[in-house]
PDB file of all heavy atoms in Angstrom:
ATOM      1  N   LYS A 217     -15.063 -32.716 -68.907  1.00 95.00           N
ATOM      2  CA  LYS A 217     -14.209 -33.704 -68.240  1.00 95.00           C
ATOM      3  C   LYS A 217     -13.997 -33.438 -66.758  1.00 95.00           C
ATOM      4  O   LYS A 217     -13.927 -34.373 -65.953  1.00 95.00           O
ATOM      5  CB  LYS A 217     -12.828 -33.756 -68.920  1.00 95.00           C
ATOM      6  CG  LYS A 217     -12.811 -34.413 -70.275  1.00 95.00           C
ATOM      7  CD  LYS A 217     -11.472 -34.209 -70.975  1.00 95.00           C
ATOM      8  CE  LYS A 217     -10.316 -34.865 -70.251  1.00 95.00           C
ATOM      9  NZ  LYS A 217      -9.045 -34.708 -71.008  1.00 95.00           N
ATOM     10  N   TRP A 218     -13.869 -32.161 -66.395  1.00 96.00           N
ATOM     11  CA  TRP A 218     -13.433 -31.848 -65.038  1.00 96.00           C
ATOM     12  C   TRP A 218     -14.561 -32.078 -64.034  1.00 96.00           C
ATOM     13  O   TRP A 218     -15.538 -31.332 -63.987  1.00 96.00           O
ATOM     14  CB  TRP A 218     -12.922 -30.422 -64.949  1.00 96.00           C
ATOM     15  CG  TRP A 218     -11.545 -30.262 -65.535  1.00 96.00           C
ATOM     16  CD1 TRP A 218     -10.911 -31.127 -66.375  1.00 96.00           C
ATOM     17  CD2 TRP A 218     -10.645 -29.174 -65.340  1.00 96.00           C
ATOM     18  NE1 TRP A 218      -9.670 -30.651 -66.715  1.00 96.00           N
ATOM     19  CE2 TRP A 218      -9.478 -29.447 -66.088  1.00 96.00           C
ATOM     20  CE3 TRP A 218     -10.703 -27.994 -64.605  1.00 96.00           C
ATOM     21  CZ2 TRP A 218      -8.385 -28.582 -66.131  1.00 96.00           C
ATOM     22  CZ3 TRP A 218      -9.628 -27.126 -64.642  1.00 96.00           C
ATOM     23  CH2 TRP A 218      -8.482 -27.423 -65.392  1.00 96.00           C
ATOM     24  N   SER A 219     -14.402 -33.114 -63.256  1.00 95.00           N
ATOM     25  CA  SER A 219     -15.336 -33.484 -62.200  1.00 95.00           C
ATOM     26  C   SER A 219     -14.506 -33.961 -61.019  1.00 95.00           C
ATOM     27  O   SER A 219     -13.284 -34.117 -61.116  1.00 95.00           O
ATOM     28  CB  SER A 219     -16.253 -34.610 -62.681  1.00 95.00           C
ATOM     29  OG  SER A 219     -15.480 -35.781 -62.960  1.00 95.00           O
ATOM     30  N   PHE A 220     -15.153 -34.250 -59.907  1.00 95.00           N
ATOM     31  CA  PHE A 220     -14.415 -34.793 -58.765  1.00 95.00           C
ATOM     32  C   PHE A 220     -13.764 -36.124 -59.126  1.00 95.00           C
ATOM     33  O   PHE A 220     -12.625 -36.401 -58.748  1.00 95.00           O
ATOM     34  CB  PHE A 220     -15.342 -34.970 -57.561  1.00 95.00           C
ATOM     35  CG  PHE A 220     -15.770 -33.672 -56.931  1.00 95.00           C
ATOM     36  CD1 PHE A 220     -17.103 -33.387 -56.720  1.00 95.00           C
ATOM     37  CD2 PHE A 220     -14.829 -32.730 -56.534  1.00 95.00           C
ATOM     38  CE1 PHE A 220     -17.494 -32.203 -56.131  1.00 95.00           C
ATOM     39  CE2 PHE A 220     -15.208 -31.537 -55.945  1.00 95.00           C
ATOM     40  CZ  PHE A 220     -16.552 -31.267 -55.744  1.00 95.00           C
ATOM     41  N   GLU A 221     -14.493 -36.949 -59.884  1.00 95.00           N
ATOM     42  CA  GLU A 221     -13.956 -38.267 -60.227  1.00 95.00           C
ATOM     43  C   GLU A 221     -12.741 -38.139 -61.147  1.00 95.00           C
ATOM     44  O   GLU A 221     -11.751 -38.855 -60.990  1.00 95.00           O
ATOM     45  CB  GLU A 221     -15.036 -39.121 -60.896  1.00 95.00           C
ATOM     46  CG  GLU A 221     -14.631 -40.564 -61.116  1.00 95.00           C
ATOM     47  CD  GLU A 221     -14.100 -41.233 -59.845  1.00 95.00           C
ATOM     48  OE1 GLU A 221     -14.702 -41.059 -58.777  1.00 95.00           O
ATOM     49  OE2 GLU A 221     -13.056 -41.918 -59.937  1.00 95.00           O
ATOM     50  N   TYR A 222     -12.793 -37.205 -62.092  1.00 96.00           N
ATOM     51  CA  TYR A 222     -11.655 -37.006 -62.986  1.00 96.00           C
ATOM     52  C   TYR A 222     -10.437 -36.509 -62.210  1.00 96.00           C
ATOM     53  O   TYR A 222      -9.298 -36.962 -62.431  1.00 96.00           O
ATOM     54  CB  TYR A 222     -12.031 -36.013 -64.087  1.00 96.00           C
ATOM     55  CG  TYR A 222     -10.944 -35.789 -65.114  1.00 96.00           C
ATOM     56  CD1 TYR A 222     -10.532 -36.817 -65.952  1.00 96.00           C
ATOM     57  CD2 TYR A 222     -10.327 -34.548 -65.252  1.00 96.00           C
ATOM     58  CE1 TYR A 222      -9.529 -36.620 -66.897  1.00 96.00           C
ATOM     59  CE2 TYR A 222      -9.335 -34.331 -66.194  1.00 96.00           C
ATOM     60  CZ  TYR A 222      -8.937 -35.375 -67.008  1.00 96.00           C
ATOM     61  OH  TYR A 222      -7.943 -35.165 -67.938  1.00 96.00           O
ATOM     62  N   MET A 223     -10.665 -35.573 -61.288  1.00 95.00           N
ATOM     63  CA  MET A 223      -9.554 -35.081 -60.469  1.00 95.00           C
ATOM     64  C   MET A 223      -8.979 -36.199 -59.601  1.00 95.00           C
ATOM     65  O   MET A 223      -7.770 -36.262 -59.361  1.00 95.00           O
ATOM     66  CB  MET A 223     -10.011 -33.907 -59.598  1.00 95.00           C
ATOM     67  CG  MET A 223     -10.315 -32.649 -60.388  1.00 95.00           C
ATOM     68  SD  MET A 223      -8.832 -32.017 -61.234  1.00 95.00           S
ATOM     69  CE  MET A 223      -9.581 -30.805 -62.344  1.00 95.00           C
ATOM     70  N   ARG A 224      -9.835 -37.087 -59.156  1.00 95.00           N
ATOM     71  CA  ARG A 224      -9.358 -38.227 -58.372  1.00 95.00           C
ATOM     72  C   ARG A 224      -8.451 -39.120 -59.227  1.00 95.00           C
ATOM     73  O   ARG A 224      -7.434 -39.628 -58.764  1.00 95.00           O
ATOM     74  CB  ARG A 224     -10.553 -39.014 -57.845  1.00 95.00           C
ATOM     75  CG  ARG A 224     -10.192 -40.129 -56.860  1.00 95.00           C
ATOM     76  CD  ARG A 224     -11.422 -40.875 -56.371  1.00 95.00           C
ATOM     77  NE  ARG A 224     -12.071 -40.182 -55.261  1.00 95.00           N
ATOM     78  CZ  ARG A 224     -13.216 -39.530 -55.346  1.00 95.00           C
ATOM     79  NH1 ARG A 224     -13.857 -39.463 -56.506  1.00 95.00           N
ATOM     80  NH2 ARG A 224     -13.744 -38.940 -54.290  1.00 95.00           N
ATOM     81  N   GLN A 225      -8.793 -39.280 -60.500  1.00 95.00           N
ATOM     82  CA  GLN A 225      -8.013 -40.130 -61.405  1.00 95.00           C
ATOM     83  C   GLN A 225      -6.642 -39.525 -61.700  1.00 95.00           C
ATOM     84  O   GLN A 225      -5.630 -40.219 -61.670  1.00 95.00           O
ATOM     85  CB  GLN A 225      -8.775 -40.340 -62.712  1.00 95.00           C
ATOM     86  CG  GLN A 225     -10.016 -41.206 -62.601  1.00 95.00           C
ATOM     87  CD  GLN A 225     -10.810 -41.219 -63.901  1.00 95.00           C
ATOM     88  OE1 GLN A 225     -10.269 -40.903 -64.966  1.00 95.00           O
ATOM     89  NE2 GLN A 225     -12.082 -41.559 -63.818  1.00 95.00           N
ATOM     90  N   VAL A 226      -6.614 -38.220 -62.005  1.00 94.00           N
ATOM     91  CA  VAL A 226      -5.362 -37.619 -62.476  1.00 94.00           C
ATOM     92  C   VAL A 226      -4.496 -37.061 -61.348  1.00 94.00           C
ATOM     93  O   VAL A 226      -3.299 -36.840 -61.543  1.00 94.00           O
ATOM     94  CB  VAL A 226      -5.634 -36.502 -63.521  1.00 94.00           C
ATOM     95  CG1 VAL A 226      -6.331 -37.062 -64.736  1.00 94.00           C
ATOM     96  CG2 VAL A 226      -6.419 -35.343 -62.918  1.00 94.00           C
ATOM     97  N   ALA A 227      -5.092 -36.822 -60.182  1.00 93.00           N
ATOM     98  CA  ALA A 227      -4.326 -36.166 -59.108  1.00 93.00           C
ATOM     99  C   ALA A 227      -4.539 -36.811 -57.747  1.00 93.00           C
ATOM    100  O   ALA A 227      -4.124 -36.249 -56.732  1.00 93.00           O
ATOM    101  CB  ALA A 227      -4.720 -34.686 -59.034  1.00 93.00           C
ATOM    102  N   GLY A 228      -5.149 -38.003 -57.721  1.00 93.00           N
ATOM    103  CA  GLY A 228      -5.492 -38.621 -56.444  1.00 93.00           C
ATOM    104  C   GLY A 228      -4.318 -38.876 -55.529  1.00 93.00           C
ATOM    105  O   GLY A 228      -4.452 -38.856 -54.295  1.00 93.00           O
ATOM    106  N   ASN A 229      -3.138 -39.095 -56.114  1.00 93.00           N
ATOM    107  CA  ASN A 229      -1.958 -39.405 -55.279  1.00 93.00           C
ATOM    108  C   ASN A 229      -1.167 -38.161 -54.876  1.00 93.00           C
ATOM    109  O   ASN A 229      -0.167 -38.266 -54.168  1.00 93.00           O
ATOM    110  CB  ASN A 229      -1.029 -40.378 -56.019  1.00 93.00           C
ATOM    111  CG  ASN A 229      -0.440 -39.765 -57.282  1.00 93.00           C
ATOM    112  OD1 ASN A 229      -0.999 -38.803 -57.821  1.00 93.00           O
ATOM    113  ND2 ASN A 229       0.666 -40.299 -57.748  1.00 93.00           N
ATOM    114  N   LYS A 230      -1.608 -36.979 -55.319  1.00 92.00           N
ATOM    115  CA  LYS A 230      -0.910 -35.741 -54.972  1.00 92.00           C
ATOM    116  C   LYS A 230      -1.258 -35.314 -53.547  1.00 92.00           C
ATOM    117  O   LYS A 230      -2.392 -35.467 -53.097  1.00 92.00           O
ATOM    118  CB  LYS A 230      -1.292 -34.616 -55.934  1.00 92.00           C
ATOM    119  CG  LYS A 230      -0.899 -34.863 -57.383  1.00 92.00           C
ATOM    120  CD  LYS A 230       0.608 -34.778 -57.548  1.00 92.00           C
ATOM    121  CE  LYS A 230       1.010 -34.948 -59.011  1.00 92.00           C
ATOM    122  NZ  LYS A 230       2.463 -34.893 -59.182  1.00 92.00           N
ATOM    123  N   THR A 231      -0.263 -34.771 -52.851  1.00 91.00           N
ATOM    124  CA  THR A 231      -0.511 -34.181 -51.535  1.00 91.00           C
ATOM    125  C   THR A 231      -0.898 -32.720 -51.733  1.00 91.00           C
ATOM    126  O   THR A 231      -0.181 -31.963 -52.398  1.00 91.00           O
ATOM    127  CB  THR A 231       0.739 -34.275 -50.648  1.00 91.00           C
ATOM    128  OG1 THR A 231       1.060 -35.664 -50.456  1.00 91.00           O
ATOM    129  CG2 THR A 231       0.490 -33.627 -49.303  1.00 91.00           C
ATOM    130  N   VAL A 232      -2.048 -32.327 -51.174  1.00 89.00           N
ATOM    131  CA  VAL A 232      -2.568 -30.979 -51.431  1.00 89.00           C
ATOM    132  C   VAL A 232      -2.593 -30.164 -50.138  1.00 89.00           C
ATOM    133  O   VAL A 232      -2.778 -30.700 -49.038  1.00 89.00           O
ATOM    134  CB  VAL A 232      -3.988 -31.045 -52.039  1.00 89.00           C
ATOM    135  CG1 VAL A 232      -3.933 -31.663 -53.430  1.00 89.00           C
ATOM    136  CG2 VAL A 232      -4.956 -31.828 -51.154  1.00 89.00           C
ATOM    137  N   PRO A 233      -2.390 -28.825 -50.259  1.00 87.00           N
ATOM    138  CA  PRO A 233      -2.439 -27.935 -49.087  1.00 87.00           C
ATOM    139  C   PRO A 233      -3.881 -27.612 -48.744  1.00 87.00           C
ATOM    140  O   PRO A 233      -4.704 -27.344 -49.631  1.00 87.00           O
ATOM    141  CB  PRO A 233      -1.699 -26.689 -49.579  1.00 87.00           C
ATOM    142  CG  PRO A 233      -1.971 -26.664 -51.053  1.00 87.00           C
ATOM    143  CD  PRO A 233      -2.073 -28.098 -51.491  1.00 87.00           C
ATOM    144  N   LEU A 234      -4.217 -27.626 -47.464  1.00 90.00           N
ATOM    145  CA  LEU A 234      -5.587 -27.365 -47.029  1.00 90.00           C
ATOM    146  C   LEU A 234      -5.628 -26.184 -46.065  1.00 90.00           C
ATOM    147  O   LEU A 234      -4.736 -26.003 -45.237  1.00 90.00           O
ATOM    148  CB  LEU A 234      -6.170 -28.605 -46.349  1.00 90.00           C
ATOM    149  CG  LEU A 234      -6.244 -29.871 -47.206  1.00 90.00           C
ATOM    150  CD1 LEU A 234      -6.750 -31.040 -46.375  1.00 90.00           C
ATOM    151  CD2 LEU A 234      -7.125 -29.659 -48.423  1.00 90.00           C
ATOM    152  N   TYR A 235      -6.694 -25.404 -46.177  1.00 87.00           N
ATOM    153  CA  TYR A 235      -6.912 -24.232 -45.340  1.00 87.00           C
ATOM    154  C   TYR A 235      -8.315 -24.302 -44.756  1.00 87.00           C
ATOM    155  O   TYR A 235      -9.224 -24.860 -45.375  1.00 87.00           O
ATOM    156  CB  TYR A 235      -6.781 -22.942 -46.167  1.00 87.00           C
ATOM    157  CG  TYR A 235      -5.436 -22.772 -46.839  1.00 87.00           C
ATOM    158  CD1 TYR A 235      -5.147 -23.443 -48.024  1.00 87.00           C
ATOM    159  CD2 TYR A 235      -4.467 -21.938 -46.293  1.00 87.00           C
ATOM    160  CE1 TYR A 235      -3.911 -23.305 -48.634  1.00 87.00           C
ATOM    161  CE2 TYR A 235      -3.233 -21.782 -46.907  1.00 87.00           C
ATOM    162  CZ  TYR A 235      -2.960 -22.466 -48.074  1.00 87.00           C
ATOM    163  OH  TYR A 235      -1.739 -22.321 -48.679  1.00 87.00           O
ATOM    164  N   ASP A 236      -8.502 -23.714 -43.570  1.00 80.00           N
ATOM    165  CA  ASP A 236      -9.848 -23.613 -43.023  1.00 80.00           C
ATOM    166  C   ASP A 236     -10.084 -22.180 -42.567  1.00 80.00           C
ATOM    167  O   ASP A 236      -9.337 -21.280 -42.950  1.00 80.00           O
ATOM    168  CB  ASP A 236     -10.082 -24.636 -41.902  1.00 80.00           C
ATOM    169  CG  ASP A 236      -9.085 -24.494 -40.750  1.00 80.00           C
ATOM    170  OD1 ASP A 236      -8.547 -23.379 -40.558  1.00 80.00           O
ATOM    171  OD2 ASP A 236      -8.840 -25.493 -40.056  1.00 80.00           O
ATOM    172  N   ASP A 237     -11.131 -21.954 -41.760  1.00 75.00           N
ATOM    173  CA  ASP A 237     -11.475 -20.581 -41.389  1.00 75.00           C
ATOM    174  C   ASP A 237     -11.044 -20.228 -39.971  1.00 75.00           C
ATOM    175  O   ASP A 237     -11.607 -19.334 -39.354  1.00 75.00           O
ATOM    176  CB  ASP A 237     -12.977 -20.334 -41.569  1.00 75.00           C
ATOM    177  CG  ASP A 237     -13.823 -21.292 -40.726  1.00 75.00           C
ATOM    178  OD1 ASP A 237     -13.248 -22.143 -40.023  1.00 75.00           O
ATOM    179  OD2 ASP A 237     -15.061 -21.190 -40.777  1.00 75.00           O
ATOM    180  N   ARG A 238     -10.016 -20.910 -39.459  1.00 71.00           N
ATOM    181  CA  ARG A 238      -9.515 -20.558 -38.126  1.00 71.00           C
ATOM    182  C   ARG A 238      -8.908 -19.161 -38.151  1.00 71.00           C
ATOM    183  O   ARG A 238      -8.384 -18.720 -39.193  1.00 71.00           O
ATOM    184  CB  ARG A 238      -8.480 -21.582 -37.654  1.00 71.00           C
ATOM    185  CG  ARG A 238      -7.138 -21.499 -38.354  1.00 71.00           C
ATOM    186  CD  ARG A 238      -6.211 -22.638 -37.962  1.00 71.00           C
ATOM    187  NE  ARG A 238      -6.674 -23.924 -38.482  1.00 71.00           N
ATOM    188  CZ  ARG A 238      -6.052 -25.077 -38.284  1.00 71.00           C
ATOM    189  NH1 ARG A 238      -4.918 -25.103 -37.598  1.00 71.00           N
ATOM    190  NH2 ARG A 238      -6.539 -26.197 -38.785  1.00 71.00           N
ATOM    191  N   PRO A 239      -8.963 -18.436 -37.020  1.00 65.00           N
ATOM    192  CA  PRO A 239      -8.360 -17.095 -36.980  1.00 65.00           C
ATOM    193  C   PRO A 239      -6.855 -17.152 -37.255  1.00 65.00           C
ATOM    194  O   PRO A 239      -6.188 -18.144 -36.945  1.00 65.00           O
ATOM    195  CB  PRO A 239      -8.630 -16.640 -35.538  1.00 65.00           C
ATOM    196  CG  PRO A 239      -9.764 -17.474 -35.069  1.00 65.00           C
ATOM    197  CD  PRO A 239      -9.626 -18.792 -35.772  1.00 65.00           C
ATOM    198  N   VAL A 240      -6.342 -16.082 -37.842  1.00 64.00           N
ATOM    199  CA  VAL A 240      -4.909 -15.994 -38.113  1.00 64.00           C
ATOM    200  C   VAL A 240      -4.141 -16.041 -36.796  1.00 64.00           C
ATOM    201  O   VAL A 240      -4.502 -15.387 -35.817  1.00 64.00           O
ATOM    202  CB  VAL A 240      -4.581 -14.692 -38.868  1.00 64.00           C
ATOM    203  CG1 VAL A 240      -3.079 -14.495 -38.971  1.00 64.00           C
ATOM    204  CG2 VAL A 240      -5.207 -14.717 -40.254  1.00 64.00           C
ATOM    205  N   HIS A 241      -3.087 -16.829 -36.768  1.00 61.00           N
ATOM    206  CA  HIS A 241      -2.221 -16.932 -35.592  1.00 61.00           C
ATOM    207  C   HIS A 241      -0.835 -16.427 -35.968  1.00 61.00           C
ATOM    208  O   HIS A 241      -0.408 -16.568 -37.126  1.00 61.00           O
ATOM    209  CB  HIS A 241      -2.142 -18.388 -35.110  1.00 61.00           C
ATOM    210  CG  HIS A 241      -1.500 -18.568 -33.772  1.00 61.00           C
ATOM    211  ND1 HIS A 241      -0.121 -18.693 -33.616  1.00 61.00           N
ATOM    212  CD2 HIS A 241      -2.032 -18.615 -32.525  1.00 61.00           C
ATOM    213  CE1 HIS A 241       0.148 -18.816 -32.328  1.00 61.00           C
ATOM    214  NE2 HIS A 241      -0.984 -18.779 -31.636  1.00 61.00           N
ATOM    215  N   HIS A 242      -0.121 -15.866 -34.984  1.00 59.00           N
ATOM    216  CA  HIS A 242       1.167 -15.256 -35.306  1.00 59.00           C
ATOM    217  C   HIS A 242       2.192 -16.264 -35.814  1.00 59.00           C
ATOM    218  O   HIS A 242       3.139 -15.904 -36.507  1.00 59.00           O
ATOM    219  CB  HIS A 242       1.734 -14.525 -34.083  1.00 59.00           C
ATOM    220  CG  HIS A 242       2.273 -15.418 -33.007  1.00 59.00           C
ATOM    221  ND1 HIS A 242       1.471 -16.025 -32.064  1.00 59.00           N
ATOM    222  CD2 HIS A 242       3.540 -15.819 -32.733  1.00 59.00           C
ATOM    223  CE1 HIS A 242       2.216 -16.739 -31.253  1.00 59.00           C
ATOM    224  NE2 HIS A 242       3.476 -16.641 -31.635  1.00 59.00           N
ATOM    225  N   LYS A 243       1.996 -17.542 -35.499  1.00 62.00           N
ATOM    226  CA  LYS A 243       2.940 -18.558 -35.963  1.00 62.00           C
ATOM    227  C   LYS A 243       2.676 -18.990 -37.407  1.00 62.00           C
ATOM    228  O   LYS A 243       3.493 -19.689 -38.007  1.00 62.00           O
ATOM    229  CB  LYS A 243       2.900 -19.777 -35.040  1.00 62.00           C
ATOM    230  CG  LYS A 243       3.452 -19.505 -33.651  1.00 62.00           C
ATOM    231  CD  LYS A 243       3.456 -20.755 -32.785  1.00 62.00           C
ATOM    232  CE  LYS A 243       4.023 -20.471 -31.403  1.00 62.00           C
ATOM    233  NZ  LYS A 243       3.980 -21.678 -30.528  1.00 62.00           N
ATOM    234  N   ASP A 244       1.521 -18.595 -37.952  1.00 60.00           N
ATOM    235  CA  ASP A 244       1.205 -18.957 -39.337  1.00 60.00           C
ATOM    236  C   ASP A 244       2.039 -18.109 -40.288  1.00 60.00           C
ATOM    237  O   ASP A 244       2.070 -16.879 -40.171  1.00 60.00           O
ATOM    238  CB  ASP A 244      -0.279 -18.706 -39.650  1.00 60.00           C
ATOM    239  CG  ASP A 244      -1.200 -19.583 -38.821  1.00 60.00           C
ATOM    240  OD1 ASP A 244      -0.748 -20.661 -38.407  1.00 60.00           O
ATOM    241  OD2 ASP A 244      -2.360 -19.192 -38.607  1.00 60.00           O
ATOM    242  N   GLY A 245       2.712 -18.749 -41.230  1.00 57.00           N
ATOM    243  CA  GLY A 245       3.410 -18.011 -42.273  1.00 57.00           C
ATOM    244  C   GLY A 245       2.432 -17.466 -43.290  1.00 57.00           C
ATOM    245  O   GLY A 245       1.242 -17.790 -43.281  1.00 57.00           O
ATOM    246  N   PHE A 246       2.917 -16.629 -44.201  1.00 54.00           N
ATOM    247  CA  PHE A 246       2.058 -16.038 -45.218  1.00 54.00           C
ATOM    248  C   PHE A 246       1.526 -17.151 -46.128  1.00 54.00           C
ATOM    249  O   PHE A 246       2.286 -17.875 -46.753  1.00 54.00           O
ATOM    250  CB  PHE A 246       2.838 -15.005 -46.031  1.00 54.00           C
ATOM    251  CG  PHE A 246       1.978 -14.192 -46.952  1.00 54.00           C
ATOM    252  CD1 PHE A 246       1.314 -13.079 -46.478  1.00 54.00           C
ATOM    253  CD2 PHE A 246       1.817 -14.557 -48.276  1.00 54.00           C
ATOM    254  CE1 PHE A 246       0.503 -12.327 -47.316  1.00 54.00           C
ATOM    255  CE2 PHE A 246       1.018 -13.817 -49.115  1.00 54.00           C
ATOM    256  CZ  PHE A 246       0.358 -12.692 -48.635  1.00 54.00           C
ATOM    257  N   ASN A 247       0.188 -17.300 -46.163  1.00 61.00           N
ATOM    258  CA  ASN A 247      -0.483 -18.339 -46.970  1.00 61.00           C
ATOM    259  C   ASN A 247       0.000 -19.752 -46.626  1.00 61.00           C
ATOM    260  O   ASN A 247       0.014 -20.643 -47.480  1.00 61.00           O
ATOM    261  CB  ASN A 247      -0.294 -18.088 -48.469  1.00 61.00           C
ATOM    262  CG  ASN A 247      -1.279 -17.062 -49.002  1.00 61.00           C
ATOM    263  OD1 ASN A 247      -2.256 -16.726 -48.347  1.00 61.00           O
ATOM    264  ND2 ASN A 247      -1.015 -16.571 -50.201  1.00 61.00           N
ATOM    265  N   GLU A 248       0.379 -19.969 -45.380  1.00 70.00           N
ATOM    266  CA  GLU A 248       0.835 -21.297 -44.974  1.00 70.00           C
ATOM    267  C   GLU A 248      -0.366 -22.203 -44.714  1.00 70.00           C
ATOM    268  O   GLU A 248      -1.299 -21.813 -44.010  1.00 70.00           O
ATOM    269  CB  GLU A 248       1.674 -21.166 -43.697  1.00 70.00           C
ATOM    270  CG  GLU A 248       2.288 -22.468 -43.222  1.00 70.00           C
ATOM    271  CD  GLU A 248       3.167 -22.253 -42.006  1.00 70.00           C
ATOM    272  OE1 GLU A 248       4.010 -21.334 -42.057  1.00 70.00           O
ATOM    273  OE2 GLU A 248       3.001 -22.981 -41.009  1.00 70.00           O
ATOM    274  N   PRO A 249      -0.393 -23.425 -45.288  1.00 72.00           N
ATOM    275  CA  PRO A 249      -1.568 -24.294 -45.112  1.00 72.00           C
ATOM    276  C   PRO A 249      -1.723 -24.763 -43.670  1.00 72.00           C
ATOM    277  O   PRO A 249      -0.753 -24.850 -42.910  1.00 72.00           O
ATOM    278  CB  PRO A 249      -1.284 -25.466 -46.051  1.00 72.00           C
ATOM    279  CG  PRO A 249       0.185 -25.470 -46.248  1.00 72.00           C
ATOM    280  CD  PRO A 249       0.628 -24.043 -46.146  1.00 72.00           C
ATOM    281  N   HIS A 250      -2.968 -25.068 -43.301  1.00 78.00           N
ATOM    282  CA  HIS A 250      -3.272 -25.563 -41.958  1.00 78.00           C
ATOM    283  C   HIS A 250      -3.141 -27.085 -41.874  1.00 78.00           C
ATOM    284  O   HIS A 250      -3.032 -27.643 -40.785  1.00 78.00           O
ATOM    285  CB  HIS A 250      -4.685 -25.152 -41.567  1.00 78.00           C
ATOM    286  CG  HIS A 250      -4.889 -23.674 -41.531  1.00 78.00           C
ATOM    287  ND1 HIS A 250      -5.963 -23.041 -42.116  1.00 78.00           N
ATOM    288  CD2 HIS A 250      -4.116 -22.682 -40.998  1.00 78.00           C
ATOM    289  CE1 HIS A 250      -5.867 -21.744 -41.923  1.00 78.00           C
ATOM    290  NE2 HIS A 250      -4.756 -21.496 -41.259  1.00 78.00           N
ATOM    291  N   ALA A 251      -3.179 -27.758 -43.020  1.00 85.00           N
ATOM    292  CA  ALA A 251      -3.057 -29.219 -43.041  1.00 85.00           C
ATOM    293  C   ALA A 251      -2.725 -29.640 -44.465  1.00 85.00           C
ATOM    294  O   ALA A 251      -2.777 -28.833 -45.409  1.00 85.00           O
ATOM    295  CB  ALA A 251      -4.365 -29.875 -42.594  1.00 85.00           C
ATOM    296  N   THR A 252      -2.330 -30.888 -44.622  1.00 89.00           N
ATOM    297  CA  THR A 252      -2.150 -31.472 -45.953  1.00 89.00           C
ATOM    298  C   THR A 252      -2.844 -32.834 -45.980  1.00 89.00           C
ATOM    299  O   THR A 252      -3.071 -33.445 -44.934  1.00 89.00           O
ATOM    300  CB  THR A 252      -0.663 -31.642 -46.311  1.00 89.00           C
ATOM    301  OG1 THR A 252      -0.039 -32.475 -45.330  1.00 89.00           O
ATOM    302  CG2 THR A 252       0.054 -30.305 -46.376  1.00 89.00           C
ATOM    303  N   MET A 253      -3.148 -33.309 -47.182  1.00 90.00           N
ATOM    304  CA  MET A 253      -3.869 -34.567 -47.339  1.00 90.00           C
ATOM    305  C   MET A 253      -3.682 -35.052 -48.771  1.00 90.00           C
ATOM    306  O   MET A 253      -3.449 -34.236 -49.678  1.00 90.00           O
ATOM    307  CB  MET A 253      -5.359 -34.324 -47.050  1.00 90.00           C
ATOM    308  CG  MET A 253      -6.219 -35.550 -46.852  1.00 90.00           C
ATOM    309  SD  MET A 253      -7.975 -35.102 -46.505  1.00 90.00           S
ATOM    310  CE  MET A 253      -7.830 -34.399 -44.859  1.00 90.00           C
TER     311      MET A 253
END
C-alpha cells in the first residue's frame, strides 16, 4: 500500500517539517526544520 500516491491520499493536507543540507547556523534550534510545506 505505501507509495507516494497513498501518502498523498492519507496525509496530503498535513504540514510537514523539511530539512536540507545547509550548514548548521547558530540560530538553528536542535533538529529545527528549515521549512514547512
Side-chain angles (χ1 to χ4, degrees):
K217 287 170 64 177
W218 284 17
S219 63
F220 289 127
E221 188 52 44
Y222 183 65
M223 291 297 168
R224 187 180 277 107
Q225 290 173 20
V226 298
N229 64 339
K230 297 289 183 181
T231 298
V232 293
L234 300 176
Y235 301 80
D236 58 25
D237 59 359
R238 73 187 69 180
V240 172
H241 191 274
H242 74 278
K243 292 183 179 178
D244 296 334
F246 189 84
N247 278 346
E248 184 177 311
H250 299 133
T252 58
M253 193 180 290

